[in-house]
Amino acid sequence: PVIDGVMDKSIWDNVNPVSDFIQEDPISMSNPSELTEVRILYDEQNIYIFAQMYVDDSKNISSRLVNRDNWAEGFDGASDYFSFDIDSRHDHQTGFIFSVNAAGVQADAVVFDDSGYDAESNSVWESEVSILNDSWVVEMKIPFSSLPFPNGTNQKWHFNMYRKYFDENSNEVSLSNEIR
């Protein structure tokens, strides 16, 4: 796919979306009030993600334009965002976080020892965002060359996906989903 934040139906319509997200905050394990659909593809060199985050009114999408990796001012508590996390070694100890807020700002980090974060680590990857009437979309392209993984044809990876948004009462809502 061309990474332009626009759904190329000839590509993405052939992929079943993941949509069974669970709310973490403010009410843990409840059904989310907003639909999220994520499609994942890969080829020999990249993994591609197309995420569509539905809203009642696109005017309620919170987006803040900041410098790359400025988590405090552009993401947590400041903007709607989507995050795709990859455990390419499937060791449950290390991982790679790729996040994009609704303004198109990227943030990435490396997870180590299951709970430590290195936000200074920057990967080369692509993303584009578009705002629609009923949703916002992020399209991502992450090169396999930016991810360490074991040799061999039988790969076992773990993915986590997160969406944060603000509801009609300005409450921050967290959703998550994982694929093993």
Side-chain angles (χ1 to χ4, degrees):
V2 175
I3 306 304
D4 57 6
V6 177
M7 179 184 263
D8 181 339
K9 290 191 178 285
S10 67
I11 295 171
W12 292 112
D13 268 357
N14 297 320
V15 180
N16 290 329
V18 175
S19 60
D20 56 341
F21 282 73
I22 297 172
Q23 184 171 298
E24 291 181 347
D25 289 319
I27 303 170
S28 182
M29 301 302 291
S30 66
N31 290 325
S33 59
E34 303 290 349
L35 176 65
T36 303
E37 293 184 329
V38 180
R39 291 170 168 82
I40 305 165
L41 287 173
Y42 67 92
D43 60 21
E44 295 81 25
Q45 289 143 4
N46 305 292
I47 187 166
Y48 304 92
I49 299 100
F50 186 92
Q52 189 159 12
M53 284 69 60
Y54 289 90
V55 295
D56 284 335
D57 186 351
S58 63
K59 293 176 188 156
N60 294 333
I61 297 171
S62 178
S63 64
R64 195 164 203 194
L65 189 59
V66 297
N67 291 332
R68 179 184 170 140
D69 291 325
N70 188 340
W71 192 262
E73 293 181 28
F75 287 81
D76 218 14
S79 292
D80 291 16
Y81 70 87
F82 174 78
S83 184
F84 192 82
D85 306 348
I86 302 172
D87 177 1
S88 56
R89 295 181 185 145
H90 201 260
D91 62 6
H92 306 285
Q93 297 294 309
T94 56
F96 304 88
I97 300 171
F98 301 90
S99 302
V100 181
N101 78 8
V105 177
Q106 292 182 342
D108 51 8
V110 174
V111 179
F112 58 92
D113 295 333
D114 194 35
S115 60
Y117 294 89
D118 178 5
E120 298 301 315
S121 175
N122 286 313
S123 297
V124 176
W125 55 290
E126 296 177 42
S127 64
E128 285 295 330
V129 167
S130 60
I131 307 291
L132 308 173
N133 289 332
D134 64 346
S135 60
W136 71 279
V137 168
V138 62
E139 198 168 21
M140 305 162 82
K141 174 182 170 184
I142 302 167
F144 289 130
S145 61
S146 66
L147 304 167
F149 54 90
N151 290 329
T153 56
N154 189 13
Q155 297 286 321
K156 189 173 187 180
W157 292 23
H158 188 137
F159 303 110
N160 285 325
M161 295 169 277
Y162 298 95
R163 175 190 180 184
K164 284 231 182 182
Y165 64 93
F166 297 88
D167 68 13
E168 64 277 356
N169 298 316
S170 298
N171 296 315
E172 192 171 24
V173 180
S174 300
L175 308 179
S176 68
N177 187 314
E178 64 181 281
I179 301 174
R180 296 176 190 244

